[in-house]
Amino acid sequence: MMVDIRSQTQEDLQNQFILWDQPVYRLAQLLQWLYAHRVESWDQMSNLPKALRVLLQQTYAMSFPVLARKQGSRDTTEKFLWRLADGALIESVLIPESDGLFGEASDRHTLCVSTQVGCAYGCKFCASGLEGWKRNLQPDEIVNQVLAVERCEGPYRDGRLIDNLVIMGMGEPLANYDNLLKALKILNAPWGAKIGARRITVSTSGLAPQIRRLAEEPFQFRLAVSLHGATDETRGKIMPVNTKYPLDALAAACEYYQKKKGRMITLEYILIAGVNDGLDQIAPLAKLARRLRAKVNLIPYNKVEGLPWSRPDEQAQNAFLAALEKENVAATLRREKGHDIEAACGQLRLRTEQELQLS
Ligand code: SF4
């Protein structure tokens, strides 16, 4: 199988261009076609000599995801379901104009991307984990979600639409560590998608060793941890990963990341009625948030068909938020945009796969 050209860094391509005895400016032209113009075919690269285009085509694949389904509209959350070259389906979610979900005063266009087809981590409340893990995404399949959404949504100012990137869609990002890092290098690079590292949030269900590894990388990515329970007992009920990395190990890894990067961490906390919305969670959650200098994002649960969980009523949501604030924890209650469009991660894909099986 040929490697996809959008899985290559500038350095990888430079080495190849040296072997081919190609001048440096040709590489700059190629990168422009790939990341500024987001082309889907070699023939579109009109200022590259035909011989070079043939050489590129013989050496690299260049695939682009096909839009299988889209839900939502420009002024609300939009969900994109992509079909990859092997037929696998993945989701990306575009969230316009929100109130600084990940630390900025106003996140204008936040895109949430997938890193795996399915997920092996089996969080009990999640649609993505329902059918297990199928495969890791390649770097180009992560990068292309950004480029493909920008192609769908254009035109936009300054050549780019996505201001913020959240690596939180389908899959456990840190379980696909090497491909993710390569994709993030490309998305962050001035020759690539030009998204600042401080505007990229990497989310994890709590893989403590990989959090430490990420802390050693020379990038200032934000870290978001899907906590969803502030005691081992509560978290363990809904997140099997807690058996392998209990809260002590997870907190120590997060603290290491926080100290190394000097950056605020976000703790994601999906409120599920009768499971983790009890006020007994407040004291341990506040203690952890203070220790990590973390902000807590409370997200009322989005119902997933076939799963027994439900969201607490608004009174219970507000009481949980107020109790946290009383403990001087920076917290937000995020009533998900797109509640009506199967907003929970993996639902659109799951529904489409079920329909395909029935047809
Ligand atoms: S919440 Fe994230 S880590 Fe957990 S099963 Fe779903 S996709 Fe996987």
Side-chain angles (χ1 to χ4, degrees), residues 127-244:
S128 293
L130 274 180
E131 294 195 343
W133 176 87
K134 300 238 168 78
R135 69 173 176 88
N136 283 334
L137 294 188
Q138 293 300 309
D140 63 283
E141 293 171 323
I142 300 170
V143 169
N144 278 339
Q145 292 172 64
V146 174
L147 305 183
V149 166
E150 291 188 331
R151 273 187 73 113
C152 281
E153 298 294 294
Y156 24 80
R157 67 193 187 301
D158 306 332
R160 294 244 76 99
L161 172 75
I162 308 302
D163 306 293
N164 295 280
L165 191 59
V166 183
I167 317 296
M168 193 189 271
M170 191 188 350
E172 163 49 63
L174 295 184
N176 185 14
Y177 192 95
D178 292 336
N179 288 349
L180 173 66
L181 251 283
K182 198 159 192 190
L184 292 182
K185 273 181 202 163
I186 294 167
L187 288 165
N188 171 239
W191 50 263
K194 298 190 179 87
I195 302 174
R198 290 170 182 273
R199 293 182 166 272
I200 296 175
T201 300
V202 178
S203 168
T204 176
S205 63
L207 306 196
Q210 285 89 333
I211 291 173
R212 288 177 183 273
R213 192 172 160 199
L214 192 65
E216 304 302 334
E217 304 285 353
F219 298 100
Q220 286 290 334
F221 300 135
R222 296 177 194 281
L223 179 67
V225 175
S226 299
L227 195 70
H228 313 325
T231 57
D232 282 323
E233 195 197 343
T234 297
R235 192 165 192 265
K237 274 190 215 156
I238 46 177
M239 298 189 71
V241 68
N242 199 70
T243 310
K244 193 159 185 194

Side-chain angles (χ1 to χ4, degrees), residues 119 121-123 126 128 171 205 345:
C119 182
Y121 282 78
C123 302
C126 172
S128 293
S205 63
C345 130

